[in-house]
Amino acid sequence: NAGVTQTPKFQVLKTGQSMTLQCAQDMNHNSMYWYRQDPGMGLRLIYYSASEGTTDKGEVPNGYNVSRLNKREFSLRLESAAPSQTSVYFCASNKGPMNTGELFFGEGSRLTVL
Amino acid sequence: GESVGLHLPTLSVQEGDNSIINCAYSNSASDYFIWYKQESGKGPQFIIDIRSNMDKRQGQRVTVLLNKTVKHLSLQIAATQPGDSAVYFCAENSGGYQKVTFGIGTKLQVIP
């Protein structure tokens, strides 16, 4: 049982390049999330998907787009990467409505934008 | 805006002693408060949560205390072990669809 799987684990981009971070979960969870983690700022929510077919903005959505491809997969796209998007990105999932807030996280994707 | 924060960024504890990690929150409407542990190079891992209508909850070697009067949350770890060394985040669940907001984290260092 893999849980939440993120790819790639590491990526270096040049300013203006685009890329997509992939996330898949095998726990039959309804809700999925993308967070970014920066030193001294904890984890900040970028986008979330409460259920298949829906997506909503989180705290820091600018510069990102998401796609909930199916129940298992939730991707995060950077259309034109900027140095400010250098961060560690975490995908997470949970069962969905009425959940306490217990999130299951992937191992993270470390992105550097030069 | 609403936020969750921590009093101490780094905490050093002798192995075998008890650890107490503190957290202040400002959103009194949150339904749940959660503690996560993050080891180096890994994603955060759920430890324990507490509902807003409770003031104490115990798990295996961990206890979470909630004081709504002063909007304070704490995590107590009994008999701290080297494997407890990590960054600990408090978080709150205040959204209809689990908008979980995280604090900045406290680094726990266990001295052998």
Side-chain angles (χ1 to χ4, degrees), chain B:
Chain B
E2 302 288 3
S3 64
V4 177
L6 294 175
H7 295 306
L8 298 173
T10 304
L11 177 66
S12 296
V13 176
Q14 201 75 32
E15 181 178 357
D17 287 351
N18 297 333
S19 303
I20 300 176
I21 302 171
N22 296 303
C23 175
Y25 67 92
S26 58
N27 188 353
S28 56
S30 292
D31 299 316
Y32 286 92
F33 299 90
I34 314 109
W35 283 100
Y36 284 87
K37 172 185 181 183
Q38 186 177 27
E39 297 176 336
S40 181
K42 296 188 177 181
Q45 182 179 19
F46 173 87
I47 302 173
I48 191 169
D49 61 14
I50 186 167
R51 193 165 185 170
S52 58
N53 62 355
M54 301 171 65
D55 52 22
K56 181 179 180 179
R57 189 174 186 203
Q58 288 184 295
Q60 187 175 10
R61 279 203 307 121
V62 295
T63 300
V64 57
L65 299 177
L66 176 63
N67 186 329
K68 293 181 287 294
T69 301
V70 295
K71 296 181 180 177
H72 184 266
L73 184 71
S74 69
L75 177 71
Q76 300 178 2
I77 304 173
T80 311
Q81 303 169 0
D84 295 326
S85 293
V87 176
Y88 290 80
F89 293 93
C90 65
E92 59 182 311
N93 179 1
S94 58
Y97 272 98
Q98 300 85 45
K99 286 188 181 180
V100 180
T101 305
F102 287 79
I104 62 172
T106 291
K107 183 176 182 179
L108 176 64
Q109 295 178 323
V110 181
I111 304 166

Side-chain angles (χ1 to χ4, degrees), chain A residues 26-105:
Chain A
D26 60 5
M27 296 173 282
N28 200 34
H29 284 169
N30 290 307
S31 301
M32 298 185 73
Y33 308 78
W34 276 105
Y35 285 86
R36 61 178 287 173
Q37 184 174 33
D38 302 294
M41 301 189 72
L43 288 95
R44 293 181 291 169
L45 182 64
I46 304 171
Y47 270 94
Y48 68 101
S49 172
S51 60
E52 186 179 356
T54 69
T55 61
D56 285 284
K57 296 178 180 179
E59 182 184 355
V60 288
N62 291 344
Y64 305 95
N65 286 302
V66 291
S67 295
R68 183 74 182 267
L69 303 171
N70 48 55
K71 191 172 185 178
R72 290 187 63 248
E73 299 173 287
F74 188 40
S75 64
L76 178 72
R77 182 161 178 84
L78 288 70
E79 290 290 351
S80 180
S84 61
Q85 294 178 304
T86 293
S87 189
V88 181
Y89 292 85
F90 287 98
C91 179
S93 70
N94 68 10
K95 295 177 183 177
M98 305 307 292
N99 190 271
T100 66
E102 179 180 359
L103 296 170
F104 295 81
F105 284 87

